[in-house]
DNA sequence: CTAATAATTTAGGTTCGCCTAAATCCGCGA
DNA sequence: TCGCGGATTTAGGCGAACCTAAATTATTAG
């Protein structure tokens, strides 16, 4: 009798659920609905329910789950999610900086490898990279203790007035889109000016000191987060 | 009805079976018995039979399997096994050369990662390393086309006469043993002299120009392969 | 040539992560 | 307050990759 080991200790799937909950619950740590998890993970809603029940019922649960009321990460779950996120972003940085990957390819590779590297690997690439604080998309890399500064950036889609900004980060979700942004010169750290717009306008911005105006699709704009420039 | 996809296309498990068959069938490509596969993979013999039946029955089989008569890799299976072996040894070299892993730790990490890296990753680390031909244990890294020069080394356990050799390779199988060998100065490329011995003697060798004699256990000797020095 | 021993396969069962179809629940608009 | 539609859960199943115990087959010593 193999003394039934702790179910759901961790696995690629579990890790991905935890990371998705972390992302979807946002800085305010809202409860996350199964449907949104299902959409994000590309699985059926029933599969989500199943997994959440299992995770929530384990001896030391990784999530706090209540029927019909969504989930939250438990402290242990949050710790694990941040660890995987740290792996993800360190790997991305490593691929970009040391292996010269094109930026739009780092995400997919990191998405797999994040689950399989050892603590030693994590530590070694972090050291090699000089303990970076940001990944190539401009996202913050959680520290080893799970601490991560709150982000105070806004989505370009939420800016309606004219203003001067710096690109904080770009979404890594959609590789082709990311490639297009790169081709247009939009990358973290780039200075960017917005113009006043009404809901019907497209997103018109100019970069650096150039006066050339770029017109961005809503998709593209949605992938860009900005910081104001009053340093 | 989701149009039943090619079963056993490839997976971590399948890869490990193929690699094990490649290793156990040796340069002469002997048929491999389920028992030896079971022992090497650390699974029950019944599990091996199961897997071999599945692999052998697939539309384009990765192995040629005959009840009660062991398996052989098919050309496709051999190709895949060599690809995974190439991954393994490139990753080991990468961890050793670029991430400063201690030699006894590279194997375990490579054993996992070999299944999850992309072609791009493979190509990039190979380039970064200058397309190495040997891994840190002295094992040959298969080329991209799967070609690999025949090894013409002998196990230290098969040497009974006095002679001058160069250490060709050390086994990566047993990390503690590997660490001990390292501590004793035994590594690929090191010059090593054997003395005449009878089956009851231990393995007595001296390294480089030193006259100091090392006495090796059968385990240690079994982990060392030698080349003669007539260059 | 036979019989026992060793190797191998078959039978039956588990866990994980997923799916579809069929309930069920819940909040909101009339 | 009622009931409807969307969100969610339940029920029933599947394939991978394992396992143990019980056949079965091969080999080999006498
Ligand atoms: Mn992932
Ligand atoms: Mn990123
Ligand atoms: Mn492996
Ligand atoms: Mn090796």
């Amino acid at each position: 009798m193999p003394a039934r080991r702790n179910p759901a200790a961790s696995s690629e799937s579990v890790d991905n659920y935890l990371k998705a909950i972390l992302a979807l619950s946002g800085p305010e740590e809202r409860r996350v609905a199964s449907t949104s998890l299902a959409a994000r993970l590309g699985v059926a809603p029933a599969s989500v329910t199943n997994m959440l029940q299992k995770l929530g019922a384990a001896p030391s649960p990784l999530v706090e789950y209540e029927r019909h009321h969504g989930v939250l990460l438990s402290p242990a779950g949050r710790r694990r999610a941040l660890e995987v996120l740290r792996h993800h972003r360190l790997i991305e940085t490593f691929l970009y900086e040391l292996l010269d990957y094109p930026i739009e390819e780092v995400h997919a590779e990191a998405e797999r490898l994040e689950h399989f590297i050892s603590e030693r690997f994590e530590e070694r690439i972090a050291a090699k990279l000089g303990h970076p604080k940001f990944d190539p998309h401009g996202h913050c890399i959680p520290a080893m203790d799970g601490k991560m500064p709150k982000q105070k950036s806004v989505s370009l889609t939420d800016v309606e007035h004219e203003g001067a900004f710096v690109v904080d980060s770009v979404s890594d979700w959609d590789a082709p889109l990311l490639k297009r942004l790169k081709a247009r010169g939009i990358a973290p750290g780039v200075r960017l000016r917005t113009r006043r717009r009404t809901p019907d306008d497209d997103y018109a911005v100019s970069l650096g000191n150039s006066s050339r105006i770029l017109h961005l699709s809503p998709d593209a704009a949605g992938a860009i987060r900005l910081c104001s420039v009053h340093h």
Side-chain angles (χ1 to χ4, degrees), chain A:
Chain A
M1 66 224 75
R4 178 185 283 90
R5 52 174 53 260
N6 182 348
S10 211
S11 73
E12 178 168 6
S13 260
V14 170
D15 283 352
N16 284 334
Y17 276 88
L18 297 178
K19 234 181 24 155
I21 297 168
L22 179 71
L24 291 174
S25 68
E28 322 99 74
E29 311 199 19
R30 292 179 300 276
R31 301 191 76 91
V32 176
S34 341
T35 323
S36 42
L37 275 173
R40 181 167 180 117
L41 293 169
V43 302
S47 307
V48 172
T49 300
N50 245 314
M51 179 63 96
L52 296 183
Q53 288 173 339
K54 211 184 39 180
L55 293 181
S60 35
L62 292 170
V63 304
E64 192 243 275
Y65 166 66
E66 202 168 344
R67 277 175 50 125
H68 289 283
H69 295 284
V71 263
L72 264 186
L73 292 176
S74 73
R78 188 181 169 79
R79 222 176 304 125
R80 178 59 188 165
L82 283 167
E83 154 117 26
V84 179
L85 188 61
R86 175 174 160 82
H87 286 185
H88 183 98
R89 294 184 175 170
L90 275 176
I91 292 169
E92 286 187 339
T93 310
F94 163 75
L95 295 173
Y96 186 72
E97 299 288 339
L98 298 183
L99 296 189
D100 302 309
Y101 268 56
I103 192 172
E104 70 274 14
E105 285 188 25
V106 301
H107 178 76
E109 186 98 40
E111 193 63 43
R112 254 172 308 117
L113 294 182
E114 61 187 0
H115 311 286
F116 304 109
I117 67 173
S118 65
E119 287 308 291
R120 166 149 260 148
F121 191 99
E122 172 191 330
E123 180 260 308
R124 286 299 158 95
I125 61 175
K128 203 60 130 180
L129 292 164
H131 301 282
K133 294 261 188 308
F134 298 94
D135 79 10
H137 309 100
H139 298 130
C140 183
I141 300 175
M144 229 114 63
D145 60 12
K147 290 279 159 42
M148 203 171 49
K150 260 261 177 58
Q151 82 171 17
K152 45 183 207 282
S153 59
V154 290
S155 171
L156 172 47
T157 52
D158 293 339
V159 177
E160 295 181 335
H161 60 285
E162 184 170 334
F165 298 90
V166 169
V167 175
D168 174 70
S169 59
V170 292
S171 163
D172 54 10
W173 201 247
D174 178 344
L177 174 55
L178 188 49
K179 193 170 179 183
R180 266 179 281 136
L181 291 182
K182 178 176 71 171
R184 307 258 233 149
I186 295 172
V190 168
R191 291 196 38 224
L192 180 153
R193 286 188 310 286
T194 57
R195 1 191 77 228
R196 167 174 298 283
R197 65 180 285 279
T198 65
D200 295 338
D201 295 337
D202 62 5
Y203 297 86
V205 303
S206 58
L207 300 185
N209 298 313
S210 156
S211 59
R212 192 164 135 55
I213 291 179
L214 299 180
H215 295 274
L216 303 174
S217 70
D219 266 11
I224 301 171
R225 297 192 67 89
L226 304 173
C227 284
S228 342
V229 270
H230 59 67
H231 58 278

